[in-house]
Amino acid sequence: MKRIRKRRLRQVRPVWQVPGAPGRTHDAVGDWRTARLVIRGRPDGLHGYDLETGEPRWSWIAPDHRLLLAMSRTAVGGVGLAVHADENGPGEWPATCTVTAFTTDDGNVLWSVPYDFSNEPWTYDYDRFAGAIALAPDRAVVLTQGRPAAYALSSGNTVWPPIAPLKGDSRLAVCGHGIVQIGLADGDVTVRCLDASEGSIRWETRPDTGGPVREVQVLLEDPLAILCLGKGRRGVEMLLVLDSKDGRPTARIPVHGPHGELRVQSTYGLLDDQPVAAVGDLLVAMVRPPGTYGDHLTAFTLDRGTPRWTWRSEGTISGLFAFGDSVVAVSKWESSEGPDGTVHVHQLNGATGVVRAVRRLRGYQAGMRGRYHLDGDRRLVRVSHWGEGAWHPAQMFRLR
């Protein structure tokens, strides 16, 4: 994996940026990144752009202008999965939807299956639609009435026998080559891992969460890190890391602890980077110590949750992801007088937190929040949640 040469404060301008469009229907639903394209979803459909030039390459528009509701977090084997509505009443969530598999190179439809959401036990929102689909090698899995249903990725043929549902609110994730189903009922969390090829149950566990839980969020899939938000006075909020082989809890990191407050609850939209990243045997998380203006990154060991190193950004961190053996953080300068438009990209040694390289990004937009992708050719792509008017839906920077 190539590293970024260490040149401090070199300014980097966008190589290309997709122009925004008028109207309020251009916010992102999700994105996929391939070797040649970045694909951004918005309510009207999917739009693919050339990674090197930003030129439009293909679009798929939802039939009859119905809403695109969710995308799988990643594409697998050149295939991505999306959910779109079959009916779109004003101010209403759809009762019936379609799940469709697309080829990412050209946007062609491989197969579609109907999906009835009318009796699902949870409140409808975009994040829950995303939690109803998952992709693993050669498998697309859809959660219907709490039951995971699996399809061959290329043909859409059913490949699993029926699987017993989990009680209550349920959602899917991927960990290694397994499909993870997480259920929440009466404050108790159940986590089940299914073999992706045949649907057999590898393990099922009810981890100790220190008290009743009101909400569960998947922050990282490999390793599996879930955020448990407490319910009532006895509720404890923690980041729980589970071993992908047997479901054994390996680390319990309190949201509020000696390290400060984990900044793990995003309020900026679906397309923000996840607030944690895994490098080697460490889980790196955004942290805000009390009485400070800037965010920190703190690395916790995956086996115990013990802090290993801390790095202060002197700003608000708006992007965090792993890149080889490094951690990359995008931060907006902030002081006691408030934020400004200076955005830095820091590449840190994942084992020690030592800065390897720094760049300054030009073309400031709302703290540069969004989802970031960096490849071996040092192309940094930012996909924004916003896409209206002056907001650029996607930008590419080359970190020379």
Side-chain angles (χ1 to χ4, degrees):
M1 186 71 69
K2 296 181 181 178
R3 294 183 181 178
I4 305 169
R5 293 181 184 179
K6 188 170 183 179
R7 298 173 185 167
R8 288 192 172 274
L9 298 181
R10 177 170 180 175
Q11 297 186 13
V12 182
R13 297 180 180 275
V15 176
W16 56 258
Q17 45 194 12
V18 176
R24 297 187 176 182
T25 59
H26 301 287
D27 286 353
V29 173
D31 82 316
W32 301 318
R33 159 71 198 280
T34 72
R36 298 188 301 108
L37 300 174
V38 56
I39 297 106
R40 183 179 185 271
R42 64 190 196 195
D44 72 338
L46 302 170
H47 304 272
Y49 303 95
D50 188 277
L51 189 59
E52 189 65 26
T53 66
E55 293 295 321
R57 286 291 174 255
W58 61 262
S59 290
W60 175 87
I61 304 301
D64 299 324
H65 300 286
R66 295 165 180 165
L67 290 177
L68 183 73
L69 296 174
M71 298 166 61
S72 55
R73 178 160 179 83
T74 60
V76 175
V79 178
L81 208 62
V83 181
H84 50 102
D86 289 346
E87 54 191 51
N88 183 22
E92 298 177 0
W93 284 102
T96 58
C97 299
T98 299
V99 177
T100 298
F102 299 87
T103 56
T104 55
D105 282 344
D106 51 22
N108 286 337
V109 172
L110 288 175
W111 51 266
S112 295
V113 293
Y115 189 13
D116 183 0
F117 280 89
S118 59
N119 295 317
E120 291 290 357
W122 32 258
T123 303
Y124 297 136
D125 59 49
Y126 288 106
D127 188 50
R128 296 305 179 92
F129 281 107
I133 55 177
L135 282 180
D138 198 36
R139 290 292 179 267
V141 183
V142 181
L143 192 63
T144 306
Q145 306 303 317
R147 296 178 181 269
Y151 305 89
L153 200 55
S154 58
S155 66
N157 294 331
T158 302
V159 292
W160 284 356
I163 296 174
L166 293 178
K167 288 179 59 179
D169 184 354
S170 189
R171 63 185 303 126
L172 297 176
V174 179
C175 190
H177 292 290
I179 299 294
V180 173
Q181 184 180 4
I182 302 172
L184 176 61
D186 300 323
D188 294 325
V189 177
T190 303
V191 185
R192 170 194 286 171
C193 182
L194 306 172
D195 184 277
S197 61
E198 59 187 31
S200 59
I201 298 177
R202 289 181 175 177
W203 50 261
E204 183 171 313
T205 183
R206 291 188 176 181
D208 180 11
T209 57
V213 175
R214 64 177 169 84
E215 186 178 348
V216 176
Q217 299 177 17
V218 179
L219 296 191
L220 199 64
E221 292 186 322
D222 197 8
L224 183 62
I226 60 176
L227 175 65
C228 298
L229 301 178
K231 177 182 181 180
R233 293 183 178 181
R234 295 189 300 113
V236 178
E237 299 191 340
M238 69 170 68
L239 185 57
L240 185 65
V241 181
L242 302 180
D243 189 297
S244 62
K245 295 180 181 179
D246 56 14
R248 173 178 50 88
T250 62
R252 289 180 171 87
I253 305 170
V255 171
H256 300 274
H259 48 263
E261 178 187 0
L262 297 184
R263 297 179 64 80
V264 289
Q265 298 182 61
S266 172
T267 59
Y268 287 86
L270 286 177
L271 212 61
D272 278 358
D273 261 345
Q274 297 292 2
V276 296
V279 181
D281 62 348
L282 299 177
L283 184 75
V284 182
M286 301 182 197
V287 175
R288 176 64 65 89
T292 63
Y293 296 103
D295 290 336
H296 290 190
L297 291 182
T298 296
F300 301 89
T301 58
L302 287 171
D303 58 348
R304 292 178 178 270
T306 305
R308 177 77 62 81
W309 56 257
T310 296
W311 172 78
R312 181 174 179 176
S313 71
E314 298 184 352
T316 300
I317 296 176
S318 54
L320 172 65
F321 59 94
F323 178 67
D325 62 353
S326 298
V327 175
V328 179
V330 182
S331 61
K332 174 182 61 175
W333 181 268
E334 188 171 324
S335 68
S336 59
E337 290 153 5
D340 65 17
T342 304
V343 177
H344 290 149
V345 179
H346 286 82
Q347 183 184 18
L348 311 178
N349 184 307
T352 64
V354 173
V355 175
R356 286 175 166 171
V358 184
R359 296 291 184 272
R360 178 178 173 180
L361 298 186
R362 304 287 291 183
Y364 169 82
Q365 287 199 329
M368 305 301 282
R369 287 194 176 272
R371 188 174 292 168
Y372 287 86
H373 306 273
L374 181 62
D375 63 16
D377 292 327
R378 298 189 286 274
R379 293 177 297 191
L380 179 70
V381 175
R382 168 184 171 259
V383 182
S384 171
H385 174 68
W386 297 286
E388 176 189 358
W391 302 109
H392 296 292
Q395 298 173 302
M396 191 273 274
F397 304 84
R398 193 176 291 276
L399 304 182
R400 300 185 184 279

